[in-house]
Amino acid sequence: MKISYLHYLFFSFVLFLVGGCGLIGNDSDPDWENLDFPVQTGYQLHVSGGDLYVAAGHDGLYVLENANPRYQWEYLGHKVTQGERHVDSGVQAVDVYGDTILVGYVSPPEQEDGAQIGIWRSENAGSSWRPSDEGIRTDELNYSNAFFLARSPHEPERMITSSFGEIYYSDDSGASWQPESSSDFKSGRSILEQGAQWHPANPDVIWTYGESGYFQPFLAKSENAGEFWERYSNVQVPRDNAFFDMAFDASNPELIYVGAQGAVIKSESGGKEWANQGAVTVAFTDPRGNFFHALEAHTQKAGVLFAAAGPHLYVSRDKGNTALRIETPSELTYINDIIYDETTGALYVTGEYGVFRLKTSYIRKGPFLPPN
């Protein structure tokens, strides 16, 4: 996707002018709880059965029982012990379904190809693990990496991941994988996916998003469960950009938000306008142009979206038209992921220097939430 230089300048100037476009202030008195994460950085969060799992990169995988800080964090393995501990190595993603835990793993390049296993699986709560990248690792390709794992909410045995720019599916809860076979998605490893999500109401619709090998934003949509894909290559956003996360509104799944560089964009028509060359609708921006790495829609409240960019946490209560910045703990210098637990009503954030919980009482009574 290329945009004209004049269009680029115009869009960048508009973002500069509106810098904090839609921001309605700053809540400097939120109620945070430090969960005393034992290592420096968390990359992805997952809640299952009340337990809080954290993918901690080269420090491995951790779980906090009942998300209770009175308990000790339990280390479940996968710490990088060989080769250089790169920022993007180790456990990047975690998925829990019943008694099965899957992790998306990125091996340091210094390790031999035979040690580069992109997905690990445990069926005993993390006591033991086995490689689970059959179908990705082949005789021709003796290594794999997996930055994300996405499970269908409609058919939980069905999953999607990517390795080196190619999409793979599983129909047995991640025990084995097969490559996406449609010729209209073949990327030649020029696509660096950030993630994928199923439409919450339509089991046939899947989105994948990220950054191309040319440092441009990438979106693709399938309306037949991954058999064929439509690539949106004309999404008009400024700068060398990428799409980092996606969220669907609680009451209207055709209202979609996507996190980009410096801005959250949205569509109220299921992304139909993104297939054209018109400029996108910017919901709100981060004044400093930080990447919106994490989005999370409130699961019960319509029109409520949480979004994180750099060290900043935002909440919108009106479908992204305006946003309030919530003050985050001073220790948290960068946010990698946020997750809302609908069972307890708590919001968890993680990133550089910790895992924190925005207390349920604040979320339920906060001035930013709709009254009903």
Side-chain angles (χ1 to χ4, degrees):
M1 183 273 291
K2 293 292 184 181
I3 60 177
S4 72
Y5 182 65
L6 288 177
H7 184 274
Y8 171 89
L9 288 178
F10 172 76
F11 206 120
S12 299
F13 181 62
V14 169
L15 283 183
F16 171 76
L17 285 179
V18 300
C21 176
L23 298 185
I24 57 174
N26 180 39
D27 191 336
S28 60
D29 192 31
D31 195 359
W32 289 100
E33 184 176 16
N34 189 338
L35 298 185
D36 296 321
F37 194 49
V39 297
Q40 177 174 313
T41 304
Y43 290 95
Q44 190 190 64
L45 300 166
H46 185 90
V47 175
S48 179
D51 298 335
L52 178 63
Y53 294 81
V54 183
H58 52 234
D59 286 310
L61 178 67
Y62 287 82
V63 62
L64 182 61
E65 184 180 353
N66 293 324
N68 190 333
R70 289 179 297 178
Y71 298 157
Q72 294 291 319
W73 286 90
E74 181 182 359
Y75 169 66
L76 298 181
H78 300 295
K79 183 176 182 179
V80 174
T81 58
Q82 301 178 33
E84 186 177 347
R85 289 158 55 93
H86 291 275
V87 172
D88 58 354
S89 67
V91 180
Q92 300 295 316
V94 56
D95 175 89
V96 182
Y97 180 64
D99 296 328
T100 300
I101 304 175
L102 292 172
V103 297
Y105 187 81
V106 177
S107 300
E110 288 81 4
Q111 292 189 10
E112 297 179 359
D113 287 351
Q116 292 186 1
I117 297 170
I119 300 175
W120 293 86
R121 178 185 181 90
S122 174
E123 297 178 352
N124 53 16
S127 297
S128 62
W129 298 85
R130 66 174 179 82
S132 195
D133 60 351
E134 179 185 347
I136 303 176
R137 176 190 292 266
T138 64
D139 292 339
E140 294 77 23
L141 189 70
N142 193 31
Y143 54 87
S144 65
N145 282 333
F147 280 95
F148 73 84
L149 299 164
R151 185 181 295 275
S152 169
H154 314 286
E155 302 174 74
E157 293 292 312
R158 187 159 170 77
M159 300 186 69
I160 186 172
T161 189
S162 75
S163 180
F164 295 101
E166 303 293 347
I167 290 289
Y168 295 86
Y169 297 104
S170 174
D171 291 316
D172 53 13
S173 197
S176 62
W177 302 83
Q178 56 275 347
E180 192 279 330
S181 59
S182 172
S183 61
D184 57 339
F185 194 86
K186 292 303 179 183
S187 65
R189 295 193 169 82
S190 64
I191 302 301
L192 308 175
E193 287 87 16
Q194 301 286 342
Q197 289 195 34
W198 262 265
H199 192 283
N202 189 335
D204 293 328
V205 174
I206 311 172
W207 286 89
T208 183
Y209 48 85
E211 181 181 41
S212 78
Y214 301 102
F215 306 107
Q216 304 230 337
F218 169 78
L219 275 174
K221 178 184 180 182
S222 173
E223 296 185 341
N224 46 26
E227 185 176 352
F228 298 104
W229 290 86
E230 179 181 9
R231 292 174 62 164
Y232 294 0
S233 57
N234 294 309
V235 182
Q236 300 290 330
V237 290
R239 310 177 183 177
D240 288 341
N241 215 314
F243 294 132
F244 300 98
D245 203 2
M246 177 178 284
F248 300 85
D249 185 69
S251 64
N252 177 17
E254 295 304 289
L255 173 54
I256 306 175
Y257 306 93
V258 179
Q261 181 180 359
V264 174
I265 68 171
K266 70 175 184 177
S267 169
E268 297 191 51
S269 63
K272 291 180 180 178
E273 69 269 34
W274 294 338
N276 302 317
Q277 295 188 15
V280 300
T281 299
V282 175
F284 53 89
T285 64
D286 179 81
R288 296 193 176 184
N290 289 303
F291 300 105
F292 276 92
H293 269 290
L295 306 181
E296 184 80 350
H298 196 292
T299 55
Q300 289 91 28
K301 299 285 188 179
V304 176
L305 175 75
F306 298 96
H312 302 149
L313 178 66
Y314 298 93
V315 63
S316 173
R317 56 175 287 177
D318 56 7
K319 302 180 181 180
N321 294 322
T322 60
L324 174 75
R325 199 181 100 189
I326 302 173
E327 198 72 31
T328 52
S330 58
E331 309 98 299
L332 192 63
T333 60
Y334 199 94
I335 300 174
N336 289 324
D337 195 22
I338 56 179
I339 190 170
Y340 175 77
D341 182 3
E342 62 180 13
T343 302
T344 63
L347 184 79
Y348 298 94
V349 303
T350 190
E352 292 285 344
Y353 300 106
V355 177
F356 299 84
R357 173 166 52 199
L358 188 57
K359 291 186 178 178
T360 304
S361 58
Y362 174 80
I363 294 177
R364 288 177 176 169
K365 299 176 182 178
F368 54 82
L369 287 182
N372 298 308

